[in-house]
Amino acid sequence: GSAEWGLARVLEKALEKDSPLTHPDLGTNAAFTWSLVNGDVDGLFASADRVIKQRIVHQRLTPMPIEPRGCVASFHAGEGSLTLWTSSQIPHLVRTLLPGMIGVAENKLRIIAPEVGGGFGCKLLYVEEAMCSHLAMRLGAPVKWIEGRRENAMATTHGRDQIGDFELAVKNDGTVLAIKARAIADLGSYLQLLTPTVPTLTGLIISGCYKLKAVRFELTGVYTNKMATDAYRGAGRPEATFAIERLMDLAAAELGLDPGKIRQKNFPKPGEFPFQTVTGLTYDSGNYQRTLKKAQDLARWDALLRQREQARQAGRLFGIGLSTYVEICALGPSKIMAAGGWEWGCVRLEMSGKVTLITGATPHGQGQETSFAQIIGDRLGVPMADIVVLHGDTASAHYGRDTYGSRATALGGTALIMSADKVIAKARILAGALLGASAKKIDFRGGKFWVKGKPKNALDWKRLAAEAYVAKNLPANFEPGLEASSFFEPKNCTFPFGTHIVAAEVERETGDVKIVKYVAVDDCGRQVNPLLVEGQVQGGIAHSLGQALFERTVYDENGQLLTGEFTDYPMPRARDIPEYIIGSTVTPSPSNPMGIKGVGEAGTIGATPAIANAVMDALAPLGIRHIDLPLLPEKLWRAIEEKRVGQGKKKQRSQP
């Protein structure tokens, strides 16, 4: 019906020769084509025992943060300077890009990102920031713009909106050989900050956790009459993970193999890391076998299989879904980041001995005010209560590349550690001078400095900071103060991974889905604060529950948005969230000194295919192979009814 008009039909029609053009001057609705080819794809498909084929649809989603966007601009004519308060995840990139839009130099721009009320990738840079700034300069008065909820649904970027025809070549023993796909991504009418980049990440991570020998991924970006798509929690990786994990489940079903065992068979072994993927990435570290085993142990896998069998014998639709995922995080190396992939941080001991941390990362709900204070508190040996973390204001955090791609702790935390180590090294010199010893003979632990073997004469940070700033007893050539800043650029991204297991039951008479059990085991490297990690995983899973079971952004055939309000755009509520069984493993990353990988998007990437696989497994006894997301009750009920009616007709024909 018209409610489904929003994706496959529009995208394919937009590429037809007689299609109306979004931009007539371009002569086509194809914005770009991109391909990734490696290995003997055709030869491996020819040698395969089975080819698993599936068209996969990723519906358009609306991020719907708690608070819509907003900005306030104030111009100081005498200074020629402008201050912009904006609910953005990227204040530093706003300061870099806005000068070209409004003609104010970067060093006369101050960008402040307050608490933004949720971002999830959609709060980047928009025309409203430029318009408010321009009007403030013209009018000589502050100008404010606050987005309404319906405006937010229509004019803040959307996510996902891809379709693809995927094929997986496999052997009868479950060995996967190669994957190929033709995908189309809806870019909307005009490109936003990262619009063309996001779907290419799908191609880069399409091999998932598996040792594929060849890949062919062909992507077409298409202009349509909708709002632009852009980064949305996971940004291209959920699409890839959903595709490869659905294919793995379909392969297991066709070959009669256990879905866990077919995955185990195709994982690289822990000793093979760093692992070079067929798509050209180098996975930093991994132990996929361990997360799968731990998840199955937590889920009580054998008991879960028995529960499924008992439910099916009783005529209930009960299924188990499995998803093993890997993602790319801590986006950093400048060779892959057009604007530079480094991060900046500063550590300052105040004269009182208190500590101020300044980070170029811009947390907006991840709790990094806590984790950064923990990291540096441990490093300096000072209580967290003595530490203040500043961020989100370019007047104090002079440099930065902000928060996206689960990069802030791995990169921003490392920049702070580098700065703290510089402060400690400088303090050793000062402590040595005050204690009559060389810096090499100074021990440091727990926030105190002393000459080796003489801990009773230790100096603490309060004493050293006072000496450093009063500057009466400084050694020769010693600069006053205890402050240092650092830039950190990693040599590689990080690649978190994990396993999610879902047990779900589908109600025959209504199509309603009940999540019976949810187990998530994620490996994000070393964890600074396990509670923050668990919170990020839980929030990510909630996003996936929305995509899998409820959410879709729908336009009608006239281009009218039909889902512009909460009444029309259903999202999971508290009653829809199951009890989580959360676990983790720790496989440190070699890409940064803390071994951190990132976890902000993990739940969203790993959960959606696990939920879908569970629902499809529940429907498998009816002969239902695949249903596109979202798995709405009406969709499932119709599919069940069609099978019931079809089976009834077969029985009638078979009767004499």
Side-chain angles (χ1 to χ4, degrees):
S2 62
E4 297 297 334
W5 230 87
L7 188 51
R9 211 171 145 194
V10 165
L11 281 176
E12 292 173 333
K13 188 173 181 61
L15 292 173
E16 294 174 1
K17 289 184 179 180
D18 61 347
S19 173
L21 299 179
T22 307
H23 300 285
D25 56 312
L26 298 180
T28 177
N29 284 322
F32 70 87
T33 57
W34 178 83
S35 63
L36 174 63
V37 183
N38 188 23
D40 182 12
V41 178
D42 294 335
L44 288 166
F45 268 85
S47 67
D49 295 320
R50 301 281 184 98
V51 174
I52 312 300
K53 297 182 180 181
Q54 183 59 53
R55 164 163 280 210
I56 290 176
V57 175
H58 300 279
Q59 77 272 34
R60 178 174 281 244
L61 300 176
T62 303
M64 289 288 190
I66 292 174
E67 294 178 6
R69 293 183 292 118
C71 58
V72 179
S74 179
F75 183 65
H76 192 297
E79 296 177 353
S81 64
L82 185 136
T83 300
L84 176 69
W85 291 262
T86 177
S87 59
S88 174
Q89 302 170 215
I90 55 166
H92 294 91
L93 286 172
V94 170
R95 189 180 64 166
T96 297
L97 298 170
L98 197 57
M101 302 167 75
I102 64 171
V104 175
E106 184 178 8
N107 59 0
K108 293 196 174 185
L109 274 179
R110 180 184 180 187
I111 311 297
I112 302 171
E115 301 299 332
V116 302
F120 316 122
C122 74
K123 289 184 176 176
L124 302 177
L125 174 63
Y126 292 79
V127 69
E128 287 86 2
E129 280 95 341
M131 286 297 296
C132 278
S133 300
H134 172 73
L135 291 172
M137 295 163 65
R138 289 287 300 271
L139 298 173
V143 174
K144 177 175 73 172
W145 171 78
I146 301 295
E147 185 180 53
R149 176 53 62 186
R150 187 164 182 83
E151 257 184 312
N152 177 266
M154 287 192 297
T156 291
T157 55
H158 295 157
R160 314 292 188 251
D161 214 346
Q162 290 186 33
I163 60 172
D165 293 302
F166 291 85
E167 299 182 42
L168 184 69
V170 297
K171 289 290 190 180
N172 283 333
D173 66 356
T175 302
V176 296
L177 302 175
I179 190 169
K180 60 183 178 181
R182 290 180 179 271
I184 307 174
D186 191 332
L187 308 180
S189 299
Y190 295 90
L191 305 182
Q192 284 291 127
L193 188 64
L194 302 172
T195 303
T197 305
V198 171
T200 65
L201 288 171
T202 304
L204 287 174
I205 211 78
I206 193 62
S207 59
C209 298
Y210 310 112
K211 295 174 65 174
L212 291 165
K213 297 179 180 179
V215 62
R216 179 185 295 137
F217 189 86
E218 298 174 347
L219 172 68
T220 302
V222 177
Y223 286 119
T224 65
N225 60 352
K226 307 177 198 172
M227 180 56 194
T229 50
D230 207 312
Y232 177 50
R233 202 168 191 171
R237 288 99 83 202
E239 295 90 321
T241 302
F242 186 83
I244 187 64
E245 289 305 295
R246 280 298 294 134
L247 289 172
M248 291 299 287
D249 253 35
L250 290 169
E254 287 201 21
L255 296 170
L257 299 174
D258 177 274
K261 290 179 180 177
I262 192 175
R263 287 169 168 85
Q264 288 270 16
K265 183 178 184 64
N266 291 286
F267 288 158
K269 293 180 175 60
E272 295 181 73
F273 288 86
F275 178 72
Q276 188 74 29
T277 74
V278 70
T279 63
L281 298 174
T282 302
Y283 290 172
D284 53 349
S285 62
N287 190 330
Y288 307 149
Q289 293 84 351
R290 184 168 58 185
T291 56
L292 175 55
K293 182 181 186 304
K294 184 167 184 177
Q296 289 184 319
D297 289 344
L298 288 175
R300 300 179 63 203
W301 183 258
D302 290 339
L304 208 54
L305 293 175
R306 290 193 297 272
Q307 185 179 355
R308 181 179 65 180
E309 183 60 29
Q310 291 167 1
R312 288 180 174 178
Q313 288 177 0
R316 288 155 44 208
L317 301 176
F318 188 100
I320 303 170
L322 184 65
S323 166
T324 54
Y325 75 92
V326 63
E327 57 162 326
I328 181 171
C329 284
L331 302 177
S334 294
K335 63 184 179 182
I336 66 168
M337 298 287 290
W342 45 264
E343 195 47 81
W344 176 86
C346 174
V347 174
R348 182 170 68 234
L349 264 291
E350 308 291 357
M351 187 179 289
S352 62
K354 306 296 185 182
V355 180
T356 300
L357 309 181
I358 311 171
T359 176
T362 308
H364 48 278
Q366 299 92 332
Q368 278 146 343
E369 295 92 337
T370 300
S371 56
F372 286 169
Q374 284 183 266
I375 291 167
I376 302 306
D378 287 348
R379 202 76 168 188
L380 297 180
V382 300
M384 288 179 61
D386 287 352
I387 300 175
V388 170
V389 180
L390 303 179
H391 63 84
D393 184 345
T394 62
S396 56
H398 308 303
Y399 304 101
R401 280 299 174 258
D402 306 312
T403 298
Y404 44 85
S406 302
R407 70 191 297 275
T409 304
L411 274 63
T414 299
L416 288 172
I417 281 181
M418 292 166 63
S419 302
D421 288 346
K422 292 176 184 177
V423 170
I424 293 168
K426 187 176 182 182
R428 282 183 191 274
I429 298 171
L430 178 56
L434 295 173
L435 295 171
S438 68
K440 292 181 180 179
K441 293 184 178 181
I442 298 297
D443 275 343
F444 169 70
R445 187 166 61 252
K448 294 185 177 181
F449 296 79
W450 64 87
V451 178
K452 292 179 180 179
K454 300 179 180 180
K456 291 184 179 180
N457 297 324
L459 302 175
D460 61 13
W461 282 114
K462 186 174 182 179
R463 170 73 188 281
L464 288 172
E467 293 284 357
Y469 286 100
V470 172
K472 289 182 179 179
N473 301 308
L474 300 183
N477 302 316
F478 187 94
E479 290 185 7
L482 286 174
E483 177 179 336
S485 62
S486 304
F487 291 82
F488 174 66
E489 181 189 14
K491 294 181 180 179
N492 189 15
C493 299
T494 64
F495 296 87
F497 56 93
T499 298
H500 289 214
I501 295 173
V502 175
E505 188 163 353
V506 180
E507 173 58 51
R508 283 180 183 268
E509 302 304 320
T510 64
D512 285 312
V513 175
K514 179 183 178 182
I515 304 295
V516 177
K517 178 174 280 189
Y518 198 106
V519 175
V521 176
D522 299 278
D523 194 314
C524 60
R526 291 199 177 98
Q527 299 182 19
V528 175
N529 187 315
L531 285 176
L532 292 177
V533 169
E534 186 171 323
Q536 288 294 302
V537 171
Q538 289 188 15
I541 296 170
H543 269 88
S544 275
L545 283 164
Q547 178 171 2
L549 302 178
F550 303 102
E551 298 180 39
R552 54 178 182 168
T553 303
V554 180
Y555 291 80
D556 68 14
E557 60 270 24
N558 297 313
Q560 175 67 42
L561 181 67
L562 301 179
T563 51
E565 304 281 356
F566 285 130
T567 52
D568 304 313
Y569 189 87
M571 295 189 295
R573 293 167 172 79
R575 67 169 183 248
D576 302 311
I577 306 299
E579 290 290 331
Y580 300 129
I581 300 172
I582 302 289
S584 63
T585 60
V586 176
T587 309
S589 171
S591 298
N592 60 78
M594 290 186 290
I596 288 171
K597 291 197 168 193
V599 75
E601 298 155 291
T604 309
I605 294 168
T608 312
I611 297 166
N613 284 341
V615 174
M616 291 301 103
D617 186 52
L619 300 179
L622 304 179
I624 298 172
R625 184 175 181 272
H626 182 82
I627 299 174
D628 288 327
L629 302 180
L631 300 172
L632 301 171
E634 180 189 2
K635 271 190 188 179
L636 302 185
W637 178 81
R638 287 185 183 279
I640 293 168
E641 282 296 294
E642 286 173 6
K643 289 295 181 181
R644 185 183 65 80
V645 172
Q647 289 169 358
K649 289 180 178 179
K650 280 185 179 180
K651 286 182 180 178
Q652 288 179 353
R653 287 196 297 267
S654 65
Q655 291 174 354

